Amino acid sequence: HFMSKISIRKAKIEDLPVIQKLSNTLGEQSHSFDNELGLMWANTKVGEKYYRERIAEQKGVCFVAEKEGEISGFISASIHEPDAWRLMKRVEIDNIFVNEKHRGEGIGKSLINIVRDWAQKQHAKRIIVRAFTENTKALSFYQREGFSPYESILQLRLN
């Protein structure tokens, strides 16, 4: 069976409802790693503002993967200017999600690559991404794409 072509493009404002829906699905899946996440974040004022800015290429960028005319995945990233603490410009991948039924088709790899190209054009020195320690699938995906451990965030739960 032939694989229909995947096209990756910058997100448009008309894509916002689909991106929000995918983002909320990502939130539901992340909930198994942290049950104190806001599941409908993408539909809050803050979440909508975040995606509107990235789609407009303010403070970052957002790309979608299209297959057979439907959006099957997306990636959004923020750009951070050098500051007194971190002396280099960097890009952080905030969200990446590929529909379950389209996983294993190279969409995630293509989304990472387009952000890599975009980050280089912005003269960023590195790309960072966060993943839950227990999310071994995500961690191994990022490592296959060339990411290496850099910083660990530890927590102490309080009653």
Side-chain angles (χ1 to χ4, degrees):
H1 105 120
F2 100 108
M3 302 251 298
S4 63
K5 191 159 161 26
I6 296 153
S7 63
I8 310 280
R9 62 170 172 80
K10 273 200 181 123
K12 299 187 289 241
I13 199 63
E14 306 84 82
D15 302 324
L16 181 60
V18 181
I19 292 168
Q20 286 172 306
K21 189 170 180 251
L22 292 174
S23 181
N24 289 331
T25 305
L26 172 62
E28 284 166 26
Q29 292 181 1
S30 301
H31 206 251
S32 63
F33 303 111
D34 183 350
N35 63 5
E36 293 169 286
L37 294 175
L39 286 182
M40 297 300 285
W41 175 82
N43 290 83
T44 65
K45 279 199 175 91
V46 173
E48 184 172 328
K49 179 176 187 275
Y50 166 87
Y51 283 116
R52 284 183 179 277
E53 286 172 349
R54 300 309 174 283
I55 290 168
E57 244 189 297
Q58 295 164 347
K59 302 181 186 176
V61 73
C62 186
F63 293 95
V64 295
E66 256 181 341
K67 191 174 171 163
E68 291 154 13
E70 75 165 357
I71 293 174
S72 54
F74 82 100
I75 191 167
S76 65
S78 300
I79 192 149
H80 300 281
E81 295 298 328
D83 54 42
W85 172 240
R86 306 229 192 230
L87 304 174
M88 78 307 200
K89 188 186 258 195
R90 62 217 178 270
V91 167
E92 180 162 4
I93 295 170
D94 299 313
N95 301 286
I96 179 172
F97 184 75
V98 176
N99 251 335
E100 300 272 356
K101 65 178 179 182
H102 293 296
R103 291 192 186 160
E105 297 175 16
I107 295 172
K109 181 187 219 27
S110 299
L111 289 168
I112 295 279
N113 285 339
I114 202 160
V115 165
R116 181 185 284 144
D117 294 345
W118 182 85
Q120 284 175 323
K121 287 187 184 102
Q122 311 306 311
H123 308 290
K125 293 282 181 255
R126 63 178 72 161
I127 299 175
I128 59 174
V129 64
R130 295 168 198 263
F132 290 106
T133 308
E134 293 169 27
N135 193 348
T136 51
K137 272 188 186 161
L139 291 168
S140 57
F141 165 73
Y142 293 128
Q143 290 183 342
R144 280 196 310 274
E145 295 309 312
F147 288 80
S148 57
Y150 158 66
E151 182 178 57
S152 292
I153 298 173
L154 294 96
Q155 68 174 354
L156 174 63
R157 287 191 176 269
L158 303 172
N159 295 339

